């Protein structure tokens, strides 16, 4: 009877030890092994995970600070300066015109200043063109002074006396006219003008208009 009780006690002790060892679902002792079920039916032992965390196999995603390009600082383009407009030429002053008769004449008239080598076109006492440069007659062939009137206009006149062309001729005395001529060589009594000025005088002056020549 004593042997039987001793055996039952030993068996009970073994069951208690087995339940505390963790094989029945409890936690394994620190540094021990945990028994897991094996598909083949026997227990398998797997080492407990170490305290060092496993390194992830995925490539770390770069931070936004390294992936985002830094903005490039660019200097603002200078504002282009507006091109200055040329100042308008002041209107010719009739007070500078020395021809009183031409200024007082109604309609279109012309003034010639021999000493200043200038000429103007006027209308109703106001300057409408000029002053422009002119060259009058040379010594011995001086241009007459006085108040005259346009007597004739010939677009392509040719002087027989001097065998010379006189484009845009506007005659105000016999043989004396405004026309295209040299502005460096004095004439034989006519008023030399540039091609542009002679064209203006030819189209503006009409027969009967006043031409005043002053010394």
């Amino acid at each position: 009877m004593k042997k039987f009780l001793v055996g039952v006690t030993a068996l009970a002790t073994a069951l208690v030890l087995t339940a505390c060892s963790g094989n029945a679902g409890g936690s394994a002792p620190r540094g021990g092994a945990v028994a897991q079920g094996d598909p083949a039916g026997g227990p398998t032992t797997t080492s407990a995970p170490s305290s060092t965390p496993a390194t992830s196999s995925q490539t770390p995603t770069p931070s936004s600070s390294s992936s985002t390009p830094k903005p490039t600082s660019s200097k603002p383009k200078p504002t282009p300066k507006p091109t200055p407009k040329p100042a308008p030429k002041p209107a010719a002053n009739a007070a500078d015109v020395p021809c009183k008769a031409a200024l007082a004449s109604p309609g279109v008239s012309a003034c010639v200043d021999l000493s200043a080598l200038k000429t103007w076109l006027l209308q109703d006492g106001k300057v409408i063109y000029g002053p422009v440069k002119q060259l009058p007659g040379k010594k011995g062939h001086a241009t007459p002074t006085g108040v005259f009137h346009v007597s004739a206009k010939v677009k392509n006149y040719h002087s027989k006396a001097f065998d010379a062309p006189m484009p845009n001729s506007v005659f105000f005395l016999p043989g004396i006219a405004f026309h295209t001529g040299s502005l460096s060589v004095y004439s034989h009594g006519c008023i030399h003008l540039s091609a542009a000025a002679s064209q203006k005088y030819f189209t503006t002056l009409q027969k009967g208009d006043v031409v005043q020549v002053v010394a």
Side-chain angles (χ1 to χ4, degrees), residues 4-107:
F4 177 76
L5 290 174
V6 171
V8 171
T9 303
L11 180 60
T13 303
L15 290 173
V16 172
L17 290 175
T18 300
C20 294
S21 67
N23 289 338
S27 299
R30 192 180 190 89
V34 179
Q36 295 182 351
D38 186 0
T44 57
T45 304
T46 305
S47 300
S50 63
S51 62
T52 303
T55 303
S56 174
S57 61
Q58 294 181 354
T59 304
T61 303
S63 63
S64 59
S65 60
S66 60
S67 61
T68 305
K70 295 182 179 180
T72 305
S73 60
S74 58
K75 295 182 179 180
K77 294 183 179 180
T79 304
K81 296 181 179 180
T83 304
K85 295 182 179 180
K89 293 182 180 179
N93 191 350
D96 297 332
V97 179
C99 303
K100 293 182 179 180
L103 286 168
S105 178

